[in-house]
Amino acid sequence: MSTGDFQGKQFAEREVAAKVLEQYDIAHARVFYRYVMGGGGLDIHYGVFRCAEDGVYAASKETNSRLLTALDWMAPIGGGSAVLDLGSGHGGLSHALLQRFEGTRVLGANISPAQNEMNVSEARVLGVGGRMEVQQLDFNNGLPAEWAQRFSHVISCEVLCHAASKPALLGELHRALKPGGGLAFTDIMGADGADEKALKDFTDRNATTKMARPSEYRQILKAAGFVDVSFVDLSTHLLLYFENMVSQIHEHRAEMEAEGVPAGYLEAWLTSLTQRVDIQRSHAVFAWGIFMCRKPGPLF
């Protein structure tokens, strides 16, 4: 069985979607991410630490909170807002948005059928399922034509790194937004000036093409027609998060193996993450943070 090991590879645009499914949709991969990045929760993304004692669960929740605030800054979120959560995964960000902003509706678009099922199930448990729709989508094939100017907001968390063409996808998101609509997203990137070879431990474990840089995203967003483009650099949190991922593997290895995660899969990740900690500590080659911007148009 494939274990999502992409060592020595960087994928062509046409290959990325299949490799994303390989990375996230296999049963043991879902178990791994739930423990190592989610801390038992549904938020499978990097985190912001409010104190040294925070773990991956609390840090990921803090990312959700700040990302939602950033989106609200760009265009006020209200009862009539229609939000696209691009790459909605297990739905943690969608659920947080629906709980925080009453009356808002969310469409979660995501490539993984298994994740989508978990998203819908958890939304029902939380009582927000009636305001949420989930659609299976490979955004590398473009967004549906009928989505033109459908959404007041677009939000996305650690997803654009899997885009075959970032300029094409951001152009599609611009098309999907209503005039004046807001966009906020996080992504893992290479730091400006980082050599692609230095990022190898990440691309060996993740379905990506070339990693973007913060300055590159600013240029792409402006070229796509967005205004008020800004970036909150949270890269300083990455080292602590990488270290916490290593700790999660050590602390929960027995549970993960009991739930079907192969020992070889865990060893490969442990090697990769240990290297990632070392290179981030010594050279800070990875960057991460929140981008926010607007489509030109009125606030209301």
Side-chain angles (χ1 to χ4, degrees):
M1 178 179 289
S2 175
T3 59
D5 189 345
F6 307 134
Q7 187 169 0
K9 300 175 184 177
Q10 199 171 68
F11 297 107
E13 293 184 5
R14 66 183 181 277
E15 299 177 288
V16 173
K19 297 303 178 182
V20 170
L21 280 173
E22 180 179 326
Q23 182 177 343
Y24 293 109
D25 211 43
I26 296 172
H28 68 251
R30 295 197 304 273
V31 173
F32 173 83
Y33 282 106
R34 173 164 48 86
Y35 276 100
V36 176
M37 293 194 80
L42 299 180
D43 300 294
I44 312 300
H45 54 70
Y46 298 107
V48 175
F49 294 86
R50 293 189 59 83
C51 65
E53 291 72 33
D54 280 351
V56 294
Y57 179 89
S60 298
K61 292 294 185 186
E62 182 65 20
T63 296
N64 288 352
S65 177
R66 297 193 187 196
L67 187 52
L68 293 176
T69 295
L71 185 65
D72 190 48
W73 282 346
M74 290 295 98
I77 304 172
S81 297
V83 184
L84 171 63
D85 183 355
L86 187 74
S88 48
H90 300 96
L93 183 59
S94 291
H95 306 156
L97 190 154
L98 290 165
Q99 290 175 312
R100 178 166 166 180
F101 298 102
E102 293 185 7
T104 301
R105 299 191 65 85
V106 174
L107 190 155
N110 191 58
I111 195 172
S112 165
Q115 289 183 340
N116 293 343
E117 289 177 10
M118 293 176 68
N119 184 351
V120 171
S121 176
E122 183 67 11
R124 291 193 188 113
V125 171
L126 295 173
V128 296
R131 292 189 284 126
M132 190 183 74
E133 176 187 351
V134 178
Q135 182 171 330
Q136 187 175 354
L137 177 77
D138 175 5
F139 55 64
N140 286 318
N141 291 330
L143 304 185
E146 62 269 23
W147 284 10
Q149 297 190 19
R150 174 175 174 178
F151 301 101
S152 60
H153 300 77
V154 175
I155 198 164
S156 188
C157 193
E158 258 90 278
V159 172
L160 272 70
C161 59
H162 300 301
S165 169
K166 294 171 181 64
L169 179 56
L170 287 166
E172 285 284 275
L173 294 179
H174 187 276
R175 179 177 66 83
L177 277 169
K178 297 176 180 179
L183 166 66
F185 67 92
T186 66
D187 203 17
I188 182 70
M189 301 164 284
D192 284 317
D195 189 302
E196 198 68 20
K197 292 180 181 178
L199 306 172
K200 185 176 180 296
D201 81 279
F202 182 85
T203 56
D204 278 354
R205 304 305 309 170
N206 292 268
T208 63
T209 56
K210 179 181 177 294
M211 294 186 77
R213 306 295 191 269
S215 59
E216 181 183 5
Y217 265 132
R218 290 190 189 96
Q219 294 169 3
I220 294 172
L221 286 164
K222 291 175 182 177
F226 289 102
V227 297
D228 301 335
V229 176
S230 58
F231 174 57
V232 178
D233 192 341
L234 299 169
S235 304
T236 189
H237 293 266
L238 282 176
L239 177 59
L240 186 54
Y241 199 90
F242 294 159
E243 290 173 338
N244 270 263
M245 289 177 71
V246 171
S247 296
Q248 287 292 105
I249 294 176
H250 287 304
E251 292 173 14
H252 299 285
R253 181 165 192 149
E255 295 101 311
M256 286 189 283
E257 289 185 357
E259 292 186 44
V261 182
Y265 181 91
L266 291 174
E267 280 301 319
W269 264 106
L270 192 57
T271 298
S272 175
L273 285 168
T274 301
Q275 293 170 350
R276 196 181 302 180
V277 166
D278 291 342
I279 196 168
Q280 187 67 6
R281 181 183 291 117
S282 57
H283 298 294
V285 299
F286 294 98
W288 176 69
I290 298 173
F291 288 91
M292 56 192 119
C293 54
R294 298 176 59 248
K295 184 174 179 175
L299 275 177
F300 305 104

